[in-house]
Amino acid sequence: MKKVYVLLLVALLVLVGCSNDETAKDEIVSILGKDQLVMATSADYPPYEFIQEVNGKQKIVGFDIFMAEYIAEQWGVDLVIQDVKFEALLTGLETGMYDMVIAGMTPSPERKANFSDIYYNATHGVVIRKDSIDEIKTKEDLDGKHIGAQLGSIQE
């Protein structure tokens, strides 16, 4: 259990969106000095973060939420979860609206944030209409077709 706590603490160090290690340490100290930890997510990516009815109320749940709850519990602070559009997560982090962001996000150089180690590699697929199953068998068969994807996501 102690190993999990250390792993989560290290993950948070890089999730706070700071530009260097010293700034990251200062940010952690600043978070620990508060009675709440404000986390942002885009609650539309089950099983990691999504909205579900729990005891008659809508609640954000999922694997990533469990990790954030564990971090807040270990630090003895209340967790405040903000559900925002995926493409706005890093902007809010950079401007200080949130202490951390946890979402299904692929690290890339154009995203100006520090990321934890990748803890899950997702595979991607395309959902097609049943009547298209014979004409779409390869990626090349999608050339010229219209495909939907979430703004700001790696799929886009």
Side-chain angles (χ1 to χ4, degrees), residues 5-154:
Y5 176 67
V6 170
L7 177 63
L8 291 174
L9 180 59
V10 169
L12 185 59
L13 277 169
V14 294
L15 282 171
V16 294
C18 301
S19 60
N20 62 50
D21 288 342
E22 279 306 308
T23 307
K25 290 175 189 171
D26 291 344
E27 187 71 17
I28 295 297
V29 168
S30 128
I31 291 168
L32 288 173
K34 300 190 302 189
D35 61 353
Q36 66 181 16
L37 177 64
V38 181
M39 183 207 79
T41 193
S42 181
D44 55 4
Y45 195 57
Y48 302 97
E49 51 271 327
F50 60 102
I51 298 173
Q52 180 176 336
E53 189 171 313
V54 177
N55 298 326
K57 295 182 180 179
Q58 297 292 308
K59 183 176 179 183
I60 300 173
V61 297
F63 178 74
D64 289 342
I65 305 309
F66 175 75
M67 288 194 328
E69 289 171 341
Y70 183 79
I71 292 167
E73 179 185 317
Q74 292 302 306
W75 287 0
V77 296
D78 293 326
L79 178 65
V80 176
I81 302 172
Q82 301 287 326
D83 182 21
V84 300
K85 292 189 180 291
F86 184 83
E87 61 270 18
L89 289 171
L90 293 180
T91 302
L93 181 66
E94 188 175 352
T95 61
M97 291 175 64
Y98 321 118
D99 298 316
M100 69 178 182
V101 166
I102 299 181
M105 187 178 296
T106 302
S108 63
E110 64 271 3
R111 292 185 167 145
K112 295 184 173 55
N114 292 324
F115 288 84
S116 67
D117 290 337
I118 295 173
Y119 56 88
Y120 179 77
N121 283 310
T123 57
H124 305 285
V126 177
V127 178
I128 60 171
R129 291 190 320 265
K130 190 174 184 178
D131 62 353
S132 299
I133 199 143
D134 290 331
E135 68 181 82
I136 301 176
K137 301 253 187 237
T138 68
K139 183 172 72 170
E140 289 74 27
D141 293 337
L142 295 171
D143 287 347
K145 305 279 193 254
H146 294 279
I147 299 175
Q150 184 178 32
L151 290 177
S153 68
I154 194 71

